Amino acid sequence: MNSAENVKEFAEKAGQVSSVVSFAESVDRVFEKCISLCLEKKACSGNGPVTIAFPDLPSDHAAGFENLCLKNGIEQVKENLRRYEKGVDLGITLAAYGIAETGTIVAGCSGEDQRLASMISDLHVILLNEKDIKACDSDIEEDLKKMTLQPGSYTAFITGPSRTADIERVLALGVHGPLELHIIILREEEWQGGRI
């Protein structure tokens, strides 16, 4: 399968498991999408300031996003997410890979804040480089070995938002994590600094 076919299949399969997939041509456009998503969702309109957590954005991109948050009156959280025991409105994390055949995100991180941003947010936004979408998990086997051998590393496979059918076999989203999972695929530019 070629790259365009991988992207198409990934978007289709991710949509089938209740992920919302969109595309952006630039890093600036990604940030605009994150801000508008947060401001238009009811999850982000509770008491107190709107909060966005983005602990693993590369520093050369984080500065521009911080300015956009300030303009829109959004509180920024980059570290010590344990302080936010009631959660944050929107968490942004970076993906290492996307797997087309299942619509799965592979996320690798080395710190607690990155993990918490993906778990305690009402809305979770994952940023994925288009070139990192592979046909199947065996295409990233060697990279996965390297990721999991790093001391203190944590690798997660995320397929859709948190869900359970424990209660009378009725499917419920967001019980053990975010209510919604949004995947923004970056088409032209790449995140500087590589994978986490």
Side-chain angles (χ1 to χ4, degrees):
M1 223 184 316
N2 66 34
S3 178
E5 289 172 335
N6 286 345
V7 172
K8 182 180 177 187
E9 183 177 10
F10 176 84
E12 180 183 308
K13 294 293 175 73
Q16 290 173 359
V17 292
S18 304
S19 297
V20 179
V21 178
S22 60
F23 295 86
E25 303 298 331
S26 70
V27 172
D28 288 340
R29 188 68 190 112
V30 166
F31 293 153
E32 291 167 11
K33 282 180 180 256
C34 290
I35 295 289
S36 66
L37 176 65
C38 191
L39 293 177
E40 70 191 28
K41 291 294 181 184
K42 289 183 182 177
C44 299
S45 61
N47 299 333
V50 173
T51 53
I52 293 183
F54 52 99
D56 58 357
L57 286 185
S59 58
D60 52 340
H61 296 305
F65 189 52
E66 289 170 14
N67 290 334
L68 199 54
C69 287
L70 284 171
K71 274 190 207 175
N72 288 278
I74 295 172
E75 181 181 337
Q76 309 150 45
V77 183
K78 294 179 278 186
E79 58 188 9
N80 299 319
L81 266 69
R82 271 186 184 262
R83 296 178 306 160
Y84 292 83
E85 59 195 38
K86 293 184 180 176
V88 295
D89 295 303
L90 187 139
I92 301 170
T93 61
L94 305 180
Y97 293 102
I99 300 173
E101 71 179 353
T102 57
T104 299
I105 289 290
V106 178
C109 56
S110 57
E112 180 182 62
D113 286 330
Q114 291 95 340
R115 293 192 295 272
L116 286 173
S118 71
M119 294 186 297
I120 66 169
S121 307
D122 289 336
L123 307 176
H124 181 198
V125 176
I126 298 176
L127 310 179
L128 172 64
N129 284 327
E130 186 177 62
K131 70 173 185 61
D132 292 326
I133 298 175
K134 306 300 180 185
C136 61
D137 57 1
S138 61
D139 291 342
I140 59 171
E141 184 177 352
E142 290 305 312
D143 285 344
L144 276 175
K145 286 178 186 175
K146 292 175 192 170
M147 287 169 68
T148 57
L149 289 175
Q150 293 176 8
S153 71
Y154 176 85
T155 303
F157 285 64
I158 303 168
T159 308
S162 165
R163 63 184 66 226
T164 186
D166 290 348
I167 305 165
E168 298 186 20
R169 297 183 191 168
V170 175
L171 181 63
L173 297 179
V175 174
H176 303 294
L179 295 166
E180 295 180 16
L181 176 64
H182 292 258
I183 302 167
I184 301 177
I185 299 173
L186 186 60
R187 285 191 149 141
E188 297 297 326
E189 299 178 44
E190 293 182 19
W191 296 104
Q192 299 303 315
R195 295 186 185 89
I196 302 155

